[in-house]
Amino acid sequence: MELRRRIALEANRLRNHNLRQLHPLRQLFWECTLRCNVHCRHCGSDCKHEARQADMPREDFFRVLDSVARKCHPNEVFIILSGGEPLMRDDLEQCGRGIMERGFPWGMVTNGLYLNEERLRSLRQAGLCSVAISLDGLEENHNWLRCHPESFKRASAAIDLLVNDGDIKFDVVTCVNQRNYDQLNDMKEFLIEKGVSDWRLFPIFPMGRAANDPLLQLPHDKFRGLLDFICHTRHEGRIHANYSCEGFLGDYEGEVRDWLFRCAAGITVGSVLIDGSIGACTSIRSDFSQGNIYQDDFMEVWENRYQPHRHREWMKRGACAKCKHWRYCEGNGLHLRTKEGDIIKCDLIADDKL
């Protein structure tokens, strides 16, 4: 590893350790529904149109925000509504308005299927200021992954609405798989032509419905190809591409995203799940919950628990025990661990050239 990158990683390592000690809450996800209007092949939550768990009443989440506001400046904590599909909630505007009136900025993650001009206008009035919208290939491949014949057309129209709005910060997120891998350059041109400025790409990790579908997993040559594609796209400068926070990337660190790797789960990122569980990043599907809002005060939990997230020596086992990358990786993303703590996937192990 070249000296310049090693110095940057050492500085990043010290910063990450300091953040763990301070653990300032900066993002709070609310899994506000498990209902969804599509049936994606890769869904980690196994969401359905009629969910097994009712939507959380917005007043219950508002009590969480009141707890946060007693300890944090609301304008420093960004609230992200996720699901399921947030637009399935008829009261989404009321949810947003309650968040805004408490001083918190908020955004949402959406498939765009129900986002039309009228809905966008009403959500803007309720304080919506950012959107992550999914587009997972051109029409055939996107509809294949989302299992809905209208998904691409509506997502594309929703992207046009966001581009034309001009004030909402948004990015397009793409789950890269074996079906859409060879289409990445065509997707890039499609998004540039639409006027999209920010594009986030990531592989699909083997959890939920994706666990046993080999078409959804990238072999290692295509994983490296994805990283090389992002490097090239960033150097071109025509659209701002970022790799996700999936994990430590060795010699690709500093090349494929705007930050050096850190798993922010439980350090700057918290969540409230549909059943009230207090967690971290909503990508984590193993049970690392630290409490429940129906029994615990959220900020008491945030300040005094989250030990598995903030003290990571317990992860130094199995393949991680003697890994040369441990110093900077420290066990990879927590979403890639089973509830027993075993690692599910590591591209560094599979490809020592990273």
Side-chain angles (χ1 to χ4, degrees), residues 57-68:
R58 59 183 183 272
E59 292 82 5
D60 295 354
F61 184 68
F62 291 164
R63 284 194 288 273
V64 172
L65 295 184
D66 293 338
S67 170
V68 173

Side-chain angles (χ1 to χ4, degrees), residues 10-172:
E10 284 293 338
N12 187 60
R13 177 175 174 269
L14 293 174
R15 178 178 180 272
N16 289 343
H17 283 206
N18 187 51
L19 276 175
R20 287 177 190 170
Q21 291 180 357
L22 298 174
H23 48 265
L25 182 63
R26 292 293 177 259
Q27 285 186 325
L28 178 59
F29 284 87
W30 178 26
E31 189 180 55
C32 65
T33 183
L34 283 183
R35 292 182 295 137
C36 194
N37 46 17
V38 294
H39 190 77
C40 301
R41 295 175 185 272
H42 64 303
C43 182
S45 307
D46 196 22
C47 297
K48 299 176 175 65
H49 194 278
E50 295 297 329
R52 64 186 181 275
Q53 179 91 32
D55 295 353
M56 180 181 288
R58 59 183 183 272
E59 292 82 5
D60 295 354
F61 184 68
F62 291 164
R63 284 194 288 273
V64 172
L65 295 184
D66 293 338
S67 170
V68 173
R70 288 192 287 270
K71 298 287 186 177
C72 306
H73 294 294
N75 62 1
E76 295 180 351
V77 182
F78 197 87
I79 311 302
I80 302 172
L81 276 60
S82 68
E85 171 52 53
L87 291 170
M88 293 288 286
R89 289 191 66 132
D90 293 334
D91 68 341
L92 190 61
E93 285 82 354
Q94 293 157 288
C95 295
R97 193 167 294 108
I99 295 169
M100 176 182 66
E101 289 172 350
R102 286 166 171 80
F104 294 88
W106 72 276
M108 68 176 179
V109 181
T110 179
N111 59 40
L113 201 69
Y114 286 174
L115 189 62
N116 55 35
E117 188 172 359
E118 181 181 356
R119 196 83 199 268
L120 181 60
R121 186 184 307 113
S122 64
L123 288 168
R124 293 282 282 124
Q125 292 170 350
L128 177 70
C129 56
S130 93
V131 175
I133 186 164
S134 298
L135 195 75
D136 300 309
L138 298 181
E139 187 163 10
E140 181 181 351
N141 285 334
H142 177 85
N143 289 348
W144 171 83
L145 189 67
R146 297 285 163 174
C147 298
H148 192 293
E150 295 290 313
S151 183
F152 177 84
K153 183 167 68 174
R154 296 198 199 175
S156 178
I159 290 169
D160 290 338
L161 286 175
L162 293 167
V163 169
N164 292 333
D165 178 272
D167 290 329
I168 295 180
K169 181 176 176 56
F170 81 96
D171 66 350
V172 171

Side-chain angles (χ1 to χ4, degrees), residues 241-261:
N242 265 305
Y243 184 70
S244 68
C245 56
E246 178 77 5
F248 182 71
L249 297 173
D251 286 342
Y252 283 94
E253 285 295 327
E255 302 296 329
V256 295
R257 53 191 167 204
D258 296 344
W259 63 93
L260 296 174
F261 172 69

Side-chain angles (χ1 to χ4, degrees), residues 1 35 45 84 89 103-104 107 116 138 169-170 188 201-202 217 223 239 249 252 259 274 280 301 315 319 328 341 349:
M1 185 180 292
R35 292 182 295 137
S45 307
R89 289 191 66 132
F104 294 88
N116 55 35
L138 298 181
K169 181 176 176 56
F170 81 96
K188 178 181 71 175
L201 303 97
F202 48 90
Q217 311 302 319
F223 173 71
I239 186 170
L249 297 173
Y252 283 94
W259 63 93
I274 192 70
V301 171
M315 293 186 186
Y328 305 125
I349 295 171

